[in-house]
Amino acid sequence: MRDGIHHIDLTVKDARASRAFYESVLGFMGYRLADAHANGYDFDLRDGEAFCSIGILSGRGENARRTHDRYSAGLHHIAWNAASREDVDAMYTHLLRIGASILDPPAAYPRYGPTYYAVFFADPDGLKLEYVHKP
């Protein structure tokens, strides 16, 4: 698939500490653990010809333990497509069950479009994540 994202690598403070969170959230979306290595792990999603991998890596270097700031240069947030509004609601229920940090509960966000419906949440290091349905 031309122009689709092949993979994303996210750096977290401690990949081992974040593994349960990402395994649960990405597993909900259909990603499966594909590889574990000394500095982290990879989750793959295959849907026919489409493929996407998300790597979770432990931070290294002098800034490895800094707090994530989505308003500084770098990644602001990642949003995944949901199949329906009910899918967004199911993700929200899942997030509550695993004790995830909810930034904004499921709601319509007309400023992003008349049919935009999403839940916003954060990973253990404060990285903003989103699950959205926009037909």
Side-chain angles (χ1 to χ4, degrees), residues 26-47:
L26 295 175
F28 178 92
M29 292 184 254
Y31 286 80
R32 298 294 171 243
L33 183 65
D35 187 30
H37 43 84
N39 195 45
Y41 38 87
D42 298 309
F43 294 94
D44 291 353
L45 177 67
R46 295 180 188 275
D47 184 11

Side-chain angles (χ1 to χ4, degrees), residues 30-87:
Y31 286 80
R32 298 294 171 243
L33 183 65
D35 187 30
H37 43 84
N39 195 45
Y41 38 87
D42 298 309
F43 294 94
D44 291 353
L45 177 67
R46 295 180 188 275
D47 184 11
E49 294 294 314
F51 170 84
C52 185
S53 180
I54 299 179
I56 307 299
L57 307 172
S58 288
R60 293 186 266 185
E62 65 182 65
N63 293 315
R65 305 299 293 169
R66 74 170 176 80
T67 301
H68 177 72
D69 177 6
R70 66 181 171 264
Y71 296 103
S72 293
L75 182 68
H76 185 276
H77 75 282
I78 297 174
W80 287 270
N81 286 312
S84 64
R85 289 172 68 112
E86 293 78 17
D87 195 23

Side-chain angles (χ1 to χ4, degrees), residues 41 59 70 96 98 108 121 125:
Y41 38 87
R70 66 181 171 264
L96 292 174
I98 66 170
F121 55 104
D125 292 316

